[in-house]
């Protein structure tokens, strides 16, 4: 149906409340309803309210994903699904199919290694895309085919009415597919392509992190570019009327007509997704947890009280983000800061007074602060001058002087003499004046004033010494404009090296006696020689002072492996615990490696046994700790890298366990994997570990040390530019913000590290 309409401003029609966190995705299910997905791990299905045509009411909550849910697709009613079905994809790498008749999960499609980012229906097939760079085709719950569609993360997929598929990627391109054949690659964006839509009869719309929306002809020609958003554009959609809507990190949904923005709808948070309803109304998904419907039709506009309520929400959100002089209002010093005298005539200071920032200037003659007036930020906070201790400067540099010293803040104005600035700063920070020339050179280099001739005359007011002479001795080895971090990168591996050997031997003896008394399992019990040999093994492991000289016989290892294979599943955890300590012994690790490298890989057999469904907590705990200790020995690194996916899959349930020891063990293994794969420069492996680490970081009821280790893994991995881009696509900034607000000091510190890294260009 074609609609020719004169543009009328959209207004709020209805708010759909129910999600407990960011709403990430929207799926319009014909006229039957709307499905939405969220960071709260749920999918909600909303149906029209029969008593009020403006409103929708919650019909079903679909529970099953273990992490945040993103893309959605609708299966129209058919003989298999009388009321239709919803397909959902999540950060947990899963694709689920839900029957809308009863809300039950009827298919679980496992195959992707990283977050699922897009879903489309292709006739009766489901096609999914992922950060793992692949497209996967599913038919009746079974995998049919998969292929690598881009060399970087795939962020979106759509199906055109003509039958082709289109994908958008972190590699900044779009690709047009017929089957597994790429017909065309569209290059033109300068950053990640995040959202796609078909513009009926014209071509393909793309939304990008570069802040633009482009309309492409199928030949690859850019027909139109829409620029107006101030940040990442996450989503785009079109209507048969010719209108286009886009959603952005800049907290707005923008409506476009003929390439021009005709309306910008403010939101109290990031707008993750936007969709048109058939009737021309717009649905938006916001980070404040609300789904909103907007209309241009008078009869569907919300009641005045609801409109006032929304204005109030916007006002409160803006107040919480209000910035003065480049800083949040709440970060400015209070009136007590005026008790500190200024240093130069006319020096300014910005003070927090109620809900405003007020500027004061220092009167040198009168020795007092004179009130200038209220400071009002312009539209671009990023253009404001940096502030330190309430004063504005052209620059505030982070200076790392090395030797474990904390980062120092160095303020500088371009009109100042850098020698004077360096001299005053060194005296203020109680640092040696021998650093002077390096500080001056640092200032000149980082303020773009290299090559300027300056007066370097100076006499130390305390010692009478002259200026530092270039070429003279100095112990200052590091001055860096790059931020340094408190907890990243992580170096070295963590291990579990404490064991209750007497308790281990006692438990093995107890299990041996149990087997001995069971006529059916008597043959599995130990001989006296084997009991003696186990005692000898534990004696060697206890004597850590002789690890450099003590040796194990092949028979010692063979006995442990025999028990791992033959003993009942519920009895193997003390044997695994011996293995955990054995791999920390130089000779023990070497002898065991022979059994790992042969065709009967005993370690993978053990991992598969302990992960048998349903897994026993004691087996998981000892198993994951044994694997974690392997990282200490470099000969095992190749094996750990080779089996990374299998190992992470086997232990993936551990982070959500109520057992705090299991959480910590899993987080430690993830952190060790991050360190290893950074060293190996394995980007694909790093991406998978990043996903696992973020799942821990975002999960609720996680023990503090576990969350901390996961966040350290995230931060360390992000030091690589490509992994950082993937992390930003995963909304790592929100993870960092949450961590930074923690009452736990080390969680807050690593959150600050990640936030700083995310903002770094």
């Amino acid at each position: 149906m074609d609609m020719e309409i004169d543009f009328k401003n959209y207004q709020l029609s209805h708010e759909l409340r129910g999600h407990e966190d960011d709403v990430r995705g929207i799926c319009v299910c014909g006229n039957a309803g709307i499905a939405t997905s969220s960071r709260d791990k749920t999918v909600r299905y909303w149906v029209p309210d029969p008593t009020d045509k403006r409103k929708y009411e919650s019909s079903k909550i679909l529970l099953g994903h273990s992490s945040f849910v993103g893309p959605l697709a609708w299966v129209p009613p058919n003989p298999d699904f009388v009321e239709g079905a919803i397909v959902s994809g999540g950060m947990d790498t899963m694709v689920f199919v839900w029957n809308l008749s009863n809300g039950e999960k009827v298919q679980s499609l496992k195959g992707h290694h990283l977050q699922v980012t897009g879903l489309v229906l292709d006739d009766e097939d489901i096609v999914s895309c992922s950060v793992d760079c692949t497209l996967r085709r599913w038919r009746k719950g079974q995998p049919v085919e998969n292929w690598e569609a881009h060399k970087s993360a795939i962020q979106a997929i759509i199906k055109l009415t003509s039958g082709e598929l289109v994908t958008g990627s972190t590699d900044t391109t779009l690709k047009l597919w017929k089957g597994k054949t790429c017909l065309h690659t569209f290059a033109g964006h300068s950053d990640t392509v995040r959202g796609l839509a078909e513009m009926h009869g014209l071509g393909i719309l793309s939304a990008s992190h570069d802040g633009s929306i482009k309309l492409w002809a199928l030949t690859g020609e850019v027909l139109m570019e829409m620029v107006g958003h101030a940040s990442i554009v996450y989503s785009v959609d079109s209507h048969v009327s010719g209108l286009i809507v886009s959603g952005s990190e800049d907290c707005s949904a923008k409506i476009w007509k003929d390439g021009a923005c005709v309306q910008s709808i403010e939101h109290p948070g990031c707008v993750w997704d936007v969709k048109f309803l058939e009737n021309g109304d717009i649905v938006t998904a916001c980070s404040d947890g609300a789904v909103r419907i907007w209309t241009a039709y008078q009869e569907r506009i919300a009641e005045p009280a609801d409109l006032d309520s929304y204005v109030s929400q916007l006002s409160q959100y803006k107040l919480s983000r209000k910035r003065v002089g480049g800083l949040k209002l709440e970060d400015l010093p209070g009136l007590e800061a005026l008790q500190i005298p200024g240093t130069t005539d006319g020096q300014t200071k910005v003070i927090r007074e109620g809900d405003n920032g007020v500027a004061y200037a220092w009167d040198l003659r009168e020795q007092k602060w004179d009130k200038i007036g209220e400071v009002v930020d312009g539209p671009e906070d990023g253009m404001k001058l940096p502030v330190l201790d309430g004063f504005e400067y052209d620059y505030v540099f982070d200076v790392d002087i090395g030797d474990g010293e904390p980062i120092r803040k160095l303020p500088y104005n371009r009109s100042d003499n850098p020698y004077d600035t360096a001299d005053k700063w060194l005296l203020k920070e109680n640092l040696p004046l021998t650093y002077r020339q390096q500080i001056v050179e640092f200032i000149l280099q980082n303020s773009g004033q290299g090559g300027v001739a300056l007066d370097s005359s100076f006499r130390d007011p305390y010692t009478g010494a002259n200026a530092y002479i270039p070429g003279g001795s100095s112990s200052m080895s590091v001055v860096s404009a790059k931020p340094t971090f408190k907890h990243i990168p992580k170096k070295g591996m963590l291990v579990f090296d404490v064991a209750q050997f007497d308790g281990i031997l006692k438990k093995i003896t107890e299990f041996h006696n149990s087997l001995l008394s069971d006529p059916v399992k008597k043959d599995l019990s130990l001989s006296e020689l084997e009991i003696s040999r186990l005692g000898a093994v534990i004696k060697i492991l206890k004597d850590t002072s002789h690890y450099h000289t003590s040796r194990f016989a092949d028979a010692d290892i063979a006995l442990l492996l025999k028990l791992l294979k033959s003993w009942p599943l519920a009895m193997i955890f003390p044997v695994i615990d011996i293995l955990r300590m054995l791999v920390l012994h130089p000779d023990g690790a070497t002898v065991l490696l022979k059994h790992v490298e042969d065709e009967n890989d005993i370690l993978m057999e053990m991992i598969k046994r302990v992960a048998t469904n349903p897994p026993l907590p004691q087996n998981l705990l000892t198993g994951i700790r044994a694997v974690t200790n392997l990282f200490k020995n470099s000969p095992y690194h190749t094996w750990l890298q080779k089996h990374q996916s299998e190992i992470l899959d086997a232990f993936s349930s551990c982070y959500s366990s109520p057992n705090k020891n299991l959480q910590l063990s899993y987080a430690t293994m993830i952190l060790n994997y991050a360190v290893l794969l950074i060293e190996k420069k394995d980007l694909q492996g790093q991406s998978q570990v990043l996903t696992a680490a973020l799942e821990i970081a975002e999960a609720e009821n996680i023990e503090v040390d576990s969350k901390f280790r996961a966040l350290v893994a995230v931060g360390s991995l992000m030091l690589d530019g490509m992994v950082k881009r993937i992390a930003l696509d995963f909304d790592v900034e929100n993870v960092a913000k949450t961590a930074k607000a923690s009452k736990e000091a080390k969680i807050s510190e690593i959150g600050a590290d990640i936030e700083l890294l995310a903002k770094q260009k």
Side-chain angles (χ1 to χ4, degrees):
M1 101 187 193
D2 289 327
M3 295 174 59
E4 290 293 335
I5 62 170
D6 293 325
F7 181 76
K8 297 177 183 176
N9 269 3
Y10 277 73
Q11 296 187 61
L12 181 67
S13 175
H14 183 48
E15 284 191 351
L16 283 61
R17 293 277 180 179
H19 283 297
E20 297 173 1
D21 210 331
D22 297 42
V23 185
R24 295 296 297 262
I26 301 165
C27 178
V28 177
C29 306
N31 292 316
I34 299 168
T36 55
S37 62
S38 169
R39 289 178 66 91
D40 66 11
K41 307 177 187 178
T42 71
V43 176
R44 286 178 177 260
Y45 184 60
W46 314 81
V47 296
D49 183 340
T51 64
D52 189 335
K53 62 182 178 181
R54 294 172 298 185
K55 297 182 179 180
Y56 283 75
E57 57 187 17
S58 181
S59 170
K60 292 179 177 64
I61 303 174
L62 311 179
L63 299 168
H65 283 283
S66 61
S67 189
F68 76 69
V69 193
L72 300 168
W74 178 53
V75 180
N78 61 50
D80 292 331
F81 301 110
V82 178
E83 294 184 32
I86 294 292
V87 188
S88 62
M91 189 175 177
D92 57 10
T93 75
M94 296 298 296
V95 176
F96 293 143
V97 180
W98 311 83
N99 188 340
L100 284 177
S101 295
N102 53 20
E104 294 296 318
K105 180 170 60 181
V106 292
Q107 291 176 14
S108 298
L109 311 180
K110 182 175 176 60
H112 284 295
H113 299 298
L114 296 171
Q115 178 188 357
V116 179
T117 51
L119 294 165
V120 292
L121 293 183
D122 190 13
D123 296 325
E124 294 186 0
D125 294 348
I126 296 168
V127 180
S128 57
C129 66
S130 165
V131 173
D132 66 14
C133 308
T134 68
L135 293 180
R136 290 180 180 267
R137 182 178 293 275
W138 315 83
R139 187 172 298 152
K140 297 189 181 299
Q142 298 300 317
V144 177
E145 60 183 359
N146 69 85
W147 68 97
E148 184 181 83
H150 290 261
K151 293 297 183 183
S152 296
I154 307 173
Q155 297 292 348
I157 184 170
I158 58 170
K159 181 185 177 183
L160 303 179
T161 50
S162 53
E164 299 92 344
L165 300 179
V166 184
T167 53
S169 168
T170 298
D171 66 11
T172 76
T173 71
L174 293 73
K175 288 182 183 287
L176 180 67
W177 301 90
K178 191 169 186 64
K180 293 169 67 174
T181 302
C182 179
L183 302 178
H184 193 79
T185 299
F186 302 74
H189 282 293
S190 60
D191 208 335
T192 297
V193 177
R194 190 59 177 267
L196 297 169
E198 183 174 12
M199 186 77 177
H200 186 68
L202 286 176
I204 304 161
L205 288 164
S206 60
S208 171
H209 283 206
D210 65 15
S212 74
I213 301 132
K214 293 182 188 291
L215 174 62
W216 309 77
L218 294 186
T219 56
E221 179 189 357
V222 177
L223 302 176
M224 191 162 59
E225 182 175 29
M226 288 152 275
V227 178
H229 282 292
S231 189
I232 294 170
V233 188
Y234 288 117
S235 53
V236 65
D237 196 23
S238 72
H239 189 255
V240 292
S241 64
L243 292 181
I244 295 167
V245 65
S246 55
S248 168
E249 177 76 22
D250 66 8
C251 306
S252 76
K254 290 186 183 294
I255 303 169
W256 311 80
K257 186 176 183 183
D258 300 327
C261 180
V262 291
Q263 187 180 357
S264 185
I265 305 174
E266 292 183 285
H267 282 66
C270 161
V271 180
W272 286 111
D273 201 7
V274 289
K275 289 287 188 295
F276 275 106
L277 296 177
E278 187 178 334
N279 64 9
D281 287 357
I282 293 170
V283 189
T284 59
C286 186
S287 62
D288 71 344
V291 180
R292 295 181 175 88
I293 299 175
W294 308 83
T295 188
Y297 294 91
Q298 188 67 37
E299 66 272 18
R300 295 203 290 270
I301 294 173
E303 298 293 336
D306 294 330
L307 296 176
D308 291 343
S309 172
Y310 184 67
V311 170
S312 176
Q313 290 175 47
L314 277 178
S315 177
Q316 290 174 16
Y317 179 71
K318 288 178 183 177
L319 188 61
S320 73
R321 290 166 54 89
K322 184 173 182 178
R323 302 174 75 87
V324 175
L327 285 183
K328 280 188 176 180
L329 181 68
E330 59 197 42
D331 293 338
L332 292 176
L335 289 169
E336 67 278 1
L338 296 179
Q339 297 173 12
I340 303 170
T343 56
T344 59
D345 194 43
Q347 182 181 12
T348 59
K349 180 178 278 195
V350 183
I351 300 298
R352 184 183 70 252
E353 292 186 16
D355 290 337
N356 299 304
V358 178
Y360 286 81
W362 180 248
D363 185 327
L364 188 62
R365 175 184 290 182
E366 298 292 331
Q367 288 288 297
K368 68 184 181 73
W369 291 100
D370 290 331
K371 187 172 184 177
I372 301 173
E374 184 178 328
V375 178
V376 181
D377 261 13
E380 294 294 336
D381 292 342
M383 299 302 291
K384 292 299 177 181
L385 295 175
V387 175
L388 182 65
D389 299 329
F391 295 103
E392 286 189 346
Y393 296 90
D394 291 336
Y395 304 94
V396 176
F397 301 117
D398 285 338
V399 181
D400 176 15
I401 65 170
D403 301 323
E405 291 287 327
I407 299 295
R408 317 288 179 104
K409 297 288 185 182
L410 169 58
Y412 174 67
N413 289 314
R414 290 178 66 89
S415 59
D416 293 343
N417 185 313
Y419 283 92
D420 289 341
T421 299
D423 298 334
K424 292 172 184 175
W425 184 76
L426 289 169
L427 292 172
K428 174 179 176 288
E429 295 289 343
N430 198 26
L431 293 170
L433 289 167
T434 51
Y435 289 175
R436 184 192 192 218
Q437 187 62 25
Q438 287 171 273
I439 292 293
V440 170
E441 291 170 359
F442 168 79
I443 291 172
L444 294 177
Q445 177 185 348
N446 288 284
S447 61
Q449 293 178 287
V452 178
L454 298 159
D455 175 16
S456 62
S457 61
F458 171 78
R459 184 170 294 275
D460 181 353
Y462 297 101
T463 66
N466 290 324
Y468 168 86
I469 299 171
S473 63
S474 170
S475 62
M476 186 179 185
S477 58
V478 179
V479 178
S480 173
K482 293 181 180 178
T484 58
F485 306 102
K486 193 173 182 73
H487 297 290
I488 55 176
K490 174 73 178 76
K491 300 290 186 184
M493 303 297 184
L494 299 176
V495 296
F496 295 97
D497 55 4
V498 176
Q500 302 295 327
F501 287 111
D502 293 340
I504 291 171
L505 194 56
K506 181 180 178 182
K507 182 58 73 173
I508 287 178
T509 304
E510 177 189 318
F511 287 157
H512 157 71
N513 291 332
S514 174
L515 292 168
L516 197 60
S517 62
D518 186 334
V520 178
K521 299 178 181 176
K522 186 176 181 180
D523 291 344
L524 299 177
S525 62
L526 300 166
S527 67
E528 287 187 19
L529 178 61
E530 288 173 330
I531 292 173
S532 174
R533 188 174 288 283
L534 280 176
V537 167
I538 285 178
K539 185 177 180 181
I540 293 173
L541 293 175
K542 271 184 169 182
D543 188 9
T544 56
S545 62
H546 290 90
Y547 267 28
H548 61 295
T549 57
S550 54
R551 297 287 182 268
F552 289 94
D554 281 338
D556 296 333
I557 308 301
L559 173 59
L560 291 172
L561 301 186
K562 171 192 166 185
L563 298 181
L564 278 179
K565 287 182 176 181
S566 63
W567 268 24
L569 198 58
M571 294 183 176
I572 62 172
F573 66 88
V575 183
I576 301 173
D577 227 13
I578 295 176
L579 200 69
R580 166 176 71 91
M581 300 307 294
L582 183 82
V583 299
L584 297 179
H585 186 288
D587 186 62
T590 301
V591 177
L592 178 65
L593 190 61
K594 299 174 188 175
H595 297 272
V596 173
E597 292 179 332
D598 67 16
E599 58 187 34
N600 297 314
D601 185 339
I602 187 61
L603 283 181
M604 278 313 301
E605 285 185 32
M606 178 201 78
I607 290 168
K608 289 172 183 175
R609 280 202 84 192
V610 303
T612 300
N613 208 19
L616 301 174
Q618 60 269 36
N619 285 350
L620 283 177
L621 183 62
T622 51
I624 201 168
R625 287 182 169 182
V627 171
T628 300
N629 283 3
L630 290 173
F631 287 88
K632 193 71 173 176
N633 290 283
S634 56
Y636 285 89
H637 286 178
T638 301
W639 181 89
L640 286 162
Q641 188 179 7
K642 176 184 175 183
H643 295 287
Q644 170 207 322
S645 292
E646 296 166 89
I647 291 170
L648 293 184
D649 284 347
F651 294 115
S652 60
S653 64
C654 294
Y655 84 91
S656 58
S657 167
N659 185 320
K660 303 296 183 185
N661 290 325
L662 204 48
Q663 289 179 11
L664 182 62
S665 301
Y666 180 66
T668 306
M669 184 185 75
I670 292 297
L671 180 53
N672 280 356
Y673 255 123
V675 174
L676 173 64
L677 297 172
I678 289 169
E679 179 187 313
K680 297 285 188 182
K681 296 182 171 58
D682 180 350
L683 282 178
Q684 185 171 351
Q686 289 178 47
S687 298
Q688 187 178 4
V689 172
L690 175 71
T691 301
L694 283 170
E695 282 186 331
I696 304 170
E698 293 193 301
E700 298 174 2
N701 303 318
I702 295 291
E703 186 263 344
V704 171
D705 285 330
S706 304
K707 183 157 289 203
F708 174 72
R709 290 181 184 183
L711 288 166
V712 171
V714 170
S716 299
L717 290 163
M718 283 176 64
L719 290 170
D720 181 281
M722 182 58 73
V723 181
K724 177 180 170 181
R725 289 177 74 174
I726 295 171
L728 291 171
D729 290 342
F730 282 170
D731 194 25
V732 74
E733 289 168 294
N734 193 57
V735 175
K737 181 181 176 183
T738 302
K740 191 178 175 184
S742 171
K743 294 178 181 177
E744 295 287 343
K746 63 183 180 181
I747 300 291
S748 179
E749 289 166 358
I750 184 61
D753 280 354
I754 296 172
E755 183 178 73
L756 183 59
L757 181 56
K759 291 177 179 177
Q760 208 180 334
K761 296 298 183 185

